[in-house]
Amino acid sequence: MKGLIIKSISGDYDCYLEDGNIITCKPLGIFRLNKITPKVGDYVIIENGKIAKIEERKNDFERPVVANISKNFIVTSVVEPDLNLNLLDRLISITEYNDIEAILLFTKMDLVDKDSEKEKNLNDIFDYYKKIGYKVYLLPEIDKDKVIDEIKNNICVLSGQSGVGKSTFINAVTGLNIKTDEISKVLGRGKHTTRHTELIRINDGWIADTPGFGNIELKIDEVSLSQSFVEFFRCKCKYNGCLHLKEPGCEVLNKLKDGEILKSRYDNYVQFIKEIRDEIVEYNKKEKKPEVMAYYKKMQKKEKGRHKR
Ligand SMILES: Nc1nc2c(ncn2[C@@H]2O[C@H](COP(=O)(O)OP(=O)(O)O)[C@@H](O)[C@H]2O)c(=O)[nH]1
Ligand SMILES: [Mg+2]
Ligand SMILES: [Zn+2]
């Protein structure tokens, strides 16, 4: 029998079967021996009521912990909490790096005055992200149906800061009643109300709400980072492997000067590069835990390989 894991709670997995039924099963003991843990989003083969095989994963996301994601809806509120383009660009990079489609949802548009300066500035930002190739949808109402259409036949996740309206969106679409955060609590102490990850069926597809978070570490090498800024990657700089910092003949810097590249995008990029470099300095001081060191070793190797090409 084939199934899709839609929920996992302390070693029990809810599997959605092809006939639409859901059964709860445990994996065979062999998985634990091989240190393999099934996760939400895994396509599995079930034999005698146990998970016997996990199909190869298309991708393996960390935040949220869901496999085989095809679309990441990155949720950003335009007010309360304030528009956070740094987190947005960070999440876009991580999503691109994992070969997942990033779709941008901007929430709380109902709280922005029509024809205000604020609305105009927001529209300029939306237009920029559209121009570089991202789908931009506005919530709560304007593009709700388009988002629902996007979910069809896909495994999707909602990601973004606490309080931006992820649970609210799912509730509005499903009629479910996932607990939502009161904004005062969110801004105060960062209380998270969505605790486990679960795929919810919408329009013949799947979507996962995720626990909110404040920030997220970029576990990317700098070359991959530069490639994950899609509009920078398309620029024809003088030097191969240009990181768009101070290099002569850098088209990104030229476009920035001409106002063709959004300044916040570029500033966030430079900040991320700095973050990655600081991490590597830490790594070189060998103060990091062994697993972190192994991770950066792998990264550096990968980077060297890229430079050879
Ligand atoms: N006005 C308005 N409020 C919203 C919108 N989306 C969410 N909220 C409110 O923002 C708060 C946080 O929403 P929640 O869904 O818990 O955010 P989450 O942490 O991302 O799941 C709640 O009080 C919601 O009622 C929206 O589009 N417009
Ligand atoms: Mg929530
Ligand atoms: Zn460049």
Side-chain angles (χ1 to χ4, degrees):
M1 251 184 331
K2 279 188 177 175
L4 167 70
I5 299 179
I6 57 169
K7 184 172 166 182
S8 101
I9 289 183
S10 46
D12 282 328
Y13 295 89
D14 282 5
C15 301
Y16 182 90
L17 308 178
E18 282 168 319
D19 62 10
N21 283 316
I22 296 170
I23 57 167
T24 304
C25 22
K26 290 188 184 295
L28 288 175
I30 184 83
F31 286 111
R32 191 189 294 180
L33 279 177
N34 293 333
K35 296 203 166 68
I36 296 168
T37 316
K39 57 157 86 170
V40 170
D42 271 331
Y43 292 100
V44 296
I45 308 284
I46 299 158
E47 286 169 9
N48 304 317
K50 295 230 165 184
I51 295 172
K53 185 170 181 273
I54 301 174
E55 304 285 355
E56 199 185 323
R57 290 173 185 152
K58 190 172 84 177
N59 56 48
D60 205 345
F61 217 46
E62 263 186 57
R63 205 136 174 198
V65 185
V66 175
N68 300 314
I69 298 172
S70 43
K71 298 179 181 184
N72 183 10
F73 296 113
I74 302 175
V75 189
T76 307
S77 59
V78 293
V79 276
E80 294 177 19
D82 282 342
L83 185 70
N84 185 340
L85 294 180
N86 186 285
L87 184 60
L88 172 62
D89 288 336
R90 191 179 289 265
L91 290 172
I92 290 176
S93 284
I94 294 170
T95 310
E96 291 288 346
Y97 181 68
N98 282 280
D99 278 328
I100 295 169
E101 182 183 1
I103 296 178
L104 318 191
L105 310 189
F106 290 93
T107 58
K108 312 205 185 185
M109 288 303 291
D110 54 315
L111 300 180
V112 178
D113 291 334
K114 287 267 155 304
D115 304 319
S116 60
E117 192 63 18
K118 167 112 187 164
E119 188 187 47
K120 193 187 154 296
N121 291 340
L122 285 170
N123 282 332
D124 289 345
I125 293 170
F126 301 155
D127 286 345
Y128 182 81
Y129 283 98
K130 283 185 210 161
K131 187 183 82 184
I132 63 173
Y134 293 107
K135 290 175 188 157
V136 171
Y137 296 130
L138 307 184
L139 293 174
E141 280 305 325
I142 304 166
D143 296 316
K144 189 168 119 193
D145 292 337
K146 289 188 190 144
V147 183
I148 296 171
D149 283 346
E150 292 280 355
I151 301 170
K152 197 171 187 117
N153 299 325
N154 286 293
I155 294 180
C156 311
V157 296
L158 290 165
S159 58
Q161 201 176 345
S162 294
V164 292
K166 301 180 293 298
S167 303
T168 301
F169 173 75
I170 293 191
N171 288 345
V173 169
T174 56
L176 283 172
N177 192 13
I178 303 172
K179 198 162 172 288
T180 53
D181 280 335
E182 286 300 323
I183 196 68
S184 55
K185 267 193 269 170
V186 175
L187 296 178
R189 309 197 69 210
K191 192 169 181 288
H192 309 315
T193 38
T194 309
R195 285 210 178 72
H196 65 270
T197 302
E198 174 178 357
L199 290 176
I200 296 164
R201 192 139 181 91
I202 294 177
N203 192 21
D204 292 330
W206 298 97
I207 191 160
D209 192 5
T210 57
F213 46 82
N215 218 335
I216 183 165
E217 193 187 343
L218 278 166
K219 289 189 177 170
I220 304 184
D221 58 286
E222 42 186 64
V223 174
S224 300
L225 179 79
S226 73
Q227 294 177 347
S228 73
F229 275 69
V230 290
E231 74 275 43
F232 300 2
F233 186 53
R234 290 186 207 115
C235 286
K236 307 256 176 305
C237 300
K238 184 170 170 195
Y239 296 111
N240 263 346
C242 181
L243 284 177
H244 327 304
L245 297 170
K246 291 183 191 138
E247 296 90 334
C250 172
E251 197 182 314
V252 171
L253 290 171
N254 288 337
K255 285 191 168 174
L256 179 69
K257 224 184 281 160
D258 296 344
E260 275 181 68
I261 280 175
L262 190 68
K263 178 146 189 316
S264 62
R265 271 290 272 177
Y266 184 76
D267 291 346
N268 290 333
Y269 170 78
V270 173
Q271 188 205 318
F272 299 161
I273 287 273
K274 187 169 175 304
E275 247 176 64
I276 293 167
R277 289 186 174 172
D278 287 349
E279 277 291 312
I280 289 174
V281 170
E282 285 297 306
Y283 156 75
N284 284 333
K285 281 198 237 152
K286 302 206 188 307
E287 281 169 0
K288 287 272 179 185
K289 293 190 204 112
E291 68 267 26
V292 178
M293 286 171 52
Y295 172 77
Y296 280 103
K297 220 174 239 167
K298 206 173 86 193
M299 278 297 169
Q300 285 182 334
K301 222 164 144 189
K302 200 166 151 195
E303 204 162 324
K304 264 188 211 143
R306 278 207 171 103
H307 283 313
K308 259 187 244 150
R309 261 187 271 142

